[in-house]
Amino acid sequence: MPEPLTFPSAFLWGAATSAYQIEGAVREDGRTPSIWDTFCRTPGKVIGGDTGDIAVDHYHRYRDDVALMAELGLTAYRFSVSWPRVQPTGRGPAVQRGLDFYRRLVDELLAHGIKPAVTLYHWDLPQELEDAGGWPERETAYRFAEYAAIVGEALGDRVEQWITLNEPWCSAFLGYSSGVHAPGRTDPAAALRAAHHLNLAHGLGTSALRGVMPARNSVAVSLNSSVLRAVSDAPEDLDAKRRIDNLANGIFHGPMLHGAYPETLFTDTARLTDWSYVQQGDLAAIHQPLDALGLNYYTPTLVSAAENAPSGPRADGHGVSENSPWPAADDVAFHQTPGDRTEMGWTIDPTGLHELIMRYTREAPGLALYITENGAAYDDKPDPDGRVHDPERITYLHGHLSAVRQAIADGADVRGYYLWSLMDNFEWAYGYEKRFGAVYVDYATLARTPKSSARWYGDVARTGALPAEEATTE
């Protein structure tokens, strides 16, 4: 029999969530609306008119949820802080009742031996800051730094792992260019400004955290860097790949990791902007030394020049919109990659995760890596006995964890894996239609039922070993 694949003994086995997707309690303890509260109430923006008003009520059920994590054998939990719960207007002093929730959550996690990892921003900008211009405005980056210092000071004595931003690409380009995410704007030039100010927020926020926290704490950012492939080696297809790589990856990791934007990004987007909002000192402010880098991966992206375009809607995996999330790249075509797909329509390809890890191993040698999101949505349903079997997700996880283990064998310093998601929840513009959770949630009763994948993943976490076979845990 093949030997199981073992992971390093200190490897973190976690799950991840975000505040708006699970907390609910949107009007309690001083919380005010975020851009997602507003977006959900805009007709036609979210399937079924769903909102995160209740979500899965984690705000009131967090103790039970932490106990469930411990029962499953998780050693780490990545969650996000709701900015409008802590600083309702995005300015000024904190609301202590909001901070107290996160203090209680952290204490509960530590009491169960689970390492907390805090993400400061997972897309829920206070609506008042959006009313003042949102991420396209420079002031928002300064407000984020103030907020980072507030949370860092409150939790930094007990939380060692910190992430400034989650997937700033989504915040900038789905929020301000294609409009499929909050705040739903469709201005590609504004999206490019938003990307720069998100970068600046990351840099200023990193400095702010380090100013109030113990030096032992780790600061990172989570990027949904695209694994890009061209349909052919034709020069025009390779150029399409290069242009999307700039917009998907270089626009963030360039200044964050290397202190500079790709020069070709400026020429590619010159018809939209002159980039004059990049002020003297910005790149130095953004280029803060990082302790780790979070990588979020779901599926690769296949592109070509427009003359090789397939028929039908744009197959970039980022929702249907008449407006593109790729500024100045309307002549790039996106193709559906071959293979089995999840309920999101995303192709299952673990080789892309290995490719992504090895890219950043080369680009940022010496920087610790964490897989801060990876997972799959399936049409999970309870059987007549109330059990939820999801063998497809087990197969998915086995393949992607095997890719992580291979990357470690190939020299990558990967120190942890956070499954997306701990439990079924509000899936942004898809409402409650897509289930990413390892734990099934009955949205009528909010009862939690671990799926077979949760038990399987828990066994892997407890043993630190990936079984040779993708056996389902009953």
Side-chain angles (χ1 to χ4, degrees), residues 275-329:
W275 290 84
S276 57
Y277 42 82
V278 181
Q279 298 184 11
Q280 186 172 3
D282 281 5
L283 290 171
I286 296 166
H287 187 212
Q288 297 298 310
L290 290 175
D291 301 296
L293 179 65
L295 300 177
N296 296 358
Y297 172 81
Y298 293 94
T299 191
T301 301
L302 186 62
V303 299
S304 74
E307 54 262 32
N308 297 324
S311 59
R314 186 179 54 254
D316 63 0
H318 295 296
V320 177
S321 171
E322 294 180 359
N323 300 281
S324 171
W326 306 102

Side-chain angles (χ1 to χ4, degrees), residues 322-464:
E322 294 180 359
N323 300 281
S324 171
W326 306 102
D330 292 336
D331 54 348
V332 173
F334 292 82
H335 302 250
Q336 179 70 64
T337 52
D340 294 336
R341 311 190 207 293
T342 68
E343 281 292 305
M344 296 293 288
W346 298 342
T347 303
I348 302 164
D349 188 347
T351 68
L353 180 54
H354 179 271
E355 184 178 331
L356 183 66
I357 294 168
M358 299 315 296
R359 172 177 184 168
Y360 283 99
T361 297
R362 294 187 299 271
E363 286 221 6
L367 192 61
L369 303 176
Y370 291 85
I371 309 308
T372 41
E373 284 186 28
N374 177 238
Y378 290 105
D379 187 19
D380 305 312
K381 293 182 175 67
D383 68 13
D385 296 324
R387 298 178 300 179
V388 183
H389 298 293
D390 56 342
E392 302 94 345
R393 187 173 286 104
I394 293 174
T395 300
Y396 180 100
L397 292 176
H398 192 284
H400 287 79
L401 286 169
S402 296
V404 173
R405 184 63 186 85
Q406 183 60 53
I408 293 172
D410 292 339
D413 184 14
V414 186
R415 299 188 185 180
Y417 176 94
Y418 291 86
L419 167 66
W420 187 269
S421 178
L422 173 66
M423 53 189 161
D424 297 333
N425 53 48
F426 176 80
E427 187 48 42
W428 307 115
Y430 293 95
Y432 294 96
E433 281 209 347
K434 307 296 184 185
R435 293 181 177 269
F436 275 90
V439 174
Y440 181 87
V441 178
D442 181 327
Y443 293 128
T445 66
L446 298 179
R448 277 80 155 137
T449 302
K451 304 173 188 177
S452 53
S453 64
R455 302 296 185 191
W456 180 91
Y457 183 62
D459 288 344
V460 173
R462 274 186 290 269
T463 62

Side-chain angles (χ1 to χ4, degrees), residues 2-199:
E3 291 293 320
L5 295 172
T6 58
F7 284 74
S9 59
F11 194 84
L12 291 178
W13 296 97
T17 63
S18 86
Y20 190 73
Q21 292 181 272
I22 68 166
E23 284 181 3
V26 297
R27 298 177 188 87
E28 293 189 33
D29 293 333
R31 185 190 180 279
T32 56
S34 75
I35 55 175
W36 272 95
D37 295 283
T38 303
F39 189 77
C40 289
R41 284 166 172 75
T42 305
K45 293 296 186 181
V46 177
I47 290 176
D50 292 337
T51 75
D53 287 4
I54 299 172
V56 296
D57 197 31
H58 175 72
Y59 193 77
H60 299 111
R61 300 166 186 253
Y62 72 92
R63 290 188 176 89
D64 291 340
D65 290 338
V66 173
L68 182 55
M69 293 180 223
E71 177 195 332
L72 292 173
L74 302 187
T75 58
Y77 174 53
R78 176 185 171 228
F79 63 93
S80 79
V81 173
S82 168
W83 191 345
R85 193 179 296 287
V86 166
Q87 199 186 30
T89 65
R91 296 179 175 84
V95 171
Q96 291 302 317
R97 288 171 296 170
L99 278 175
D100 284 345
F101 167 70
Y102 298 105
R103 291 183 177 110
R104 293 192 300 270
L105 174 59
V106 166
D107 288 345
E108 195 75 14
L109 290 164
L110 294 174
H112 284 80
I114 299 171
K115 188 168 187 159
V118 168
T119 301
L120 287 172
Y121 187 72
H122 199 133
W123 309 350
D124 48 357
L125 186 71
Q127 182 60 43
E128 285 201 24
L129 291 185
E130 173 59 25
D131 293 342
W135 285 113
E137 294 299 318
R138 186 179 185 87
E139 182 67 15
T140 307
Y142 295 115
R143 299 283 64 77
F144 176 80
E146 180 183 76
Y147 157 68
I150 288 171
V151 182
E153 190 168 23
L155 303 178
D157 60 331
R158 285 158 292 168
V159 177
E160 295 182 3
Q161 285 198 311
W162 291 79
I163 294 164
T164 54
L165 308 175
N166 179 76
E167 299 186 355
W169 185 88
C170 294
S171 298
F173 296 111
L174 300 184
Y176 292 94
S177 187
S178 71
V180 300
H181 277 193
R185 288 160 63 178
T186 54
D187 181 347
L192 292 168
R193 292 199 308 274
H196 176 65
H197 295 139
L198 282 154
N199 282 330

